[in-house]
């Protein structure tokens, strides 16, 4: 989002993905607006590579899409019998052994998993359509700032499939089981006001203000000491899997580490 990131030149720029780094802020941009940033296995491999290439200085990662849509979902060519050249078609996947199918989907999912690393805070800047895989990519991030024209939709079930790019877990965590089920099964659009009201988005702003709002949020995220942010994120991410007493214990342990570090007594 910061203009200086572009001036430094991209760390990665291929297959519809560009990664730029400006000190503590990295920006991952989907760069195929002519196809509404449609997603393919090549794009997923590039996204996974972007995560591996992040230097240790990065604390905040911004994810954005060029053009009017964040991402309109799968490249429709993937749904055709011939598929995308050089990639397994859906028919090929259906015919593969269970272990092979599982391994292929797991590889695709790697593009969606690294955004929640404890040493990073990831922010999706979402405008226009975020459908299917686009919705799940936005859900892969810790935070979402949306333009007032945003249209989220989970269309996989309507196509006879299921959302399989890691989106179901964060969706249920954000909006609850009943609403998540209704969103997925109906495939309906979720607009900006509902997204904010249900916790799906942190903030909605006019489309012209999206970049500035994300820059402001990134600056605020960087204001706190890095180690405290990492410990806090780890506490919050693990909270839903712990009992109340386990969470109390995790808080005590984390605070002990912070106090020792601040006193210069860390390991």
């Amino acid at each position: 989002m910061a203009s200086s990131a572009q001036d430094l030149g991209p760390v990665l720029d291929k297959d519809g993905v560009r990664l730029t780094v400006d000190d503590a802020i990295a920006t991952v941009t989907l760069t195929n607006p002519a196809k509404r940033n449609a997603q393919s296995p090549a794009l997923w491999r590039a996204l996974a590579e972007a995560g591996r290439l992040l230097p240790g200085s990065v604390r905040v990662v911004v994810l954005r899409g060029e053009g009017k849509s964040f991402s309109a979902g799968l490249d429709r060519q993937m749904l055709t019998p011939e598929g995308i050249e050089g990639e397994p078609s859906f028919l090929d996947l259906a015919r593969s052994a269970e272990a092979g199918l599982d391994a292929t989907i797991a590889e695709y999912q790697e593009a969606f998993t690294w955004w929640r690393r404890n040493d990073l805070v990831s922010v999706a800047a979402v405008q226009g359509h975020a459908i299917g895989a686009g919705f799940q990519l936005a859900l892969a991030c810790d935070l979402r700032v949306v333009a007032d024209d945003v249209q989220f939709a989970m269309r996989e079930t309507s196509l006879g499939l299921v959302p399989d790019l890691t989106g179901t877990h964060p969706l249920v965590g954000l909006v609850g089981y009943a609403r998540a089920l209704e969103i997925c099964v109906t495939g309906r659009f979720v607009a900006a006001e509902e997204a904010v009201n249900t916790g799906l988005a942190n903030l909605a702003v006019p489309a012209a203000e999206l970049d500035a709002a994300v820059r402001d949020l990134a600056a605020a995220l960087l204001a706190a000491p890095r180690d405290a942010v990492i410990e806090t994120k780890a506490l919050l991410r693990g909270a839903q899997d712990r009992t109340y007493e386990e969470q109390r214990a995790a808080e005590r342990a984390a605070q002990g580490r912070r106090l020792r570090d601040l006193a210069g007594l860390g390991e």
Side-chain angles (χ1 to χ4, degrees):
M1 305 300 289
S3 59
S4 57
Q6 303 298 329
D7 298 338
L8 296 175
V11 177
L12 176 77
D13 194 354
K14 68 178 187 180
D15 297 322
V17 175
R18 182 172 61 242
L19 167 65
T20 56
V21 177
D22 185 4
D23 193 21
I25 300 177
T27 303
V28 177
T29 305
L30 307 181
T31 60
N32 192 4
K35 295 190 73 172
R36 295 195 297 167
N37 298 313
Q39 298 185 33
S40 66
L43 179 139
W44 296 331
R45 287 191 291 270
L47 284 174
E49 184 177 353
R52 293 191 295 270
L53 289 174
L54 290 177
S57 62
V58 171
R59 295 181 55 190
V60 174
V61 182
V62 173
L63 171 64
R64 61 186 296 274
E66 291 182 347
K68 295 182 178 181
S69 293
F70 173 76
S71 175
L74 290 181
D75 186 326
R76 287 288 175 168
Q77 193 171 339
M78 291 183 67
L79 303 177
T80 64
E82 61 273 13
I84 296 174
E85 185 177 358
E87 306 286 356
S89 68
F90 273 32
L91 186 57
D92 293 331
L93 291 175
R95 289 172 173 166
S96 62
E98 184 174 345
L101 176 59
D102 184 81
T104 299
I105 296 174
E107 179 186 356
Y108 296 163
Q109 289 176 331
E110 290 179 7
F112 298 77
T113 56
W114 61 266
W115 307 88
R116 290 181 177 269
R117 282 168 32 187
N118 287 340
D119 60 324
L120 305 170
V121 179
S122 53
V123 182
V126 189
Q127 80 284 1
H129 291 101
I131 298 174
F135 192 2
Q136 293 187 77
L137 187 55
L139 286 167
C141 292
D142 296 309
L143 310 173
R144 280 150 297 282
V145 179
V146 302
D148 54 10
D149 66 349
V150 74
Q151 294 283 301
F152 289 112
M154 200 74 83
R155 292 290 173 80
E156 287 83 352
T157 309
S158 304
L159 297 171
L161 303 169
V162 300
D164 66 339
L165 297 172
T166 77
T168 57
H169 188 277
L171 182 62
V172 171
L174 290 166
V175 305
Y177 161 75
R179 191 178 295 270
L181 177 64
E182 179 251 328
I183 288 171
C184 290
V185 173
T186 65
R188 69 174 177 85
F189 285 119
V190 177
E193 182 177 3
E194 181 183 355
V196 172
N197 289 342
T198 59
L200 182 58
N202 296 79
L203 176 69
V205 297
E209 299 175 14
L210 182 61
D211 285 4
V214 173
R215 281 196 298 270
D216 289 346
L217 177 57
L221 293 170
L222 291 173
R226 180 171 195 164
D227 289 344
V229 173
I230 292 172
E231 290 278 13
T232 301
K233 182 174 178 180
L235 269 176
L236 295 175
R237 283 193 65 205
Q240 67 186 76
D241 297 321
R242 300 187 187 106
T243 65
Y244 177 73
E245 292 302 325
E246 289 170 342
Q247 186 69 4
R248 287 180 61 203
E251 289 176 357
R252 295 195 299 271
Q255 192 71 299
R257 288 190 293 272
R258 295 305 313 127
L259 289 171
R260 287 190 292 273
D261 284 345
L262 291 172
L265 301 174
E267 296 180 2

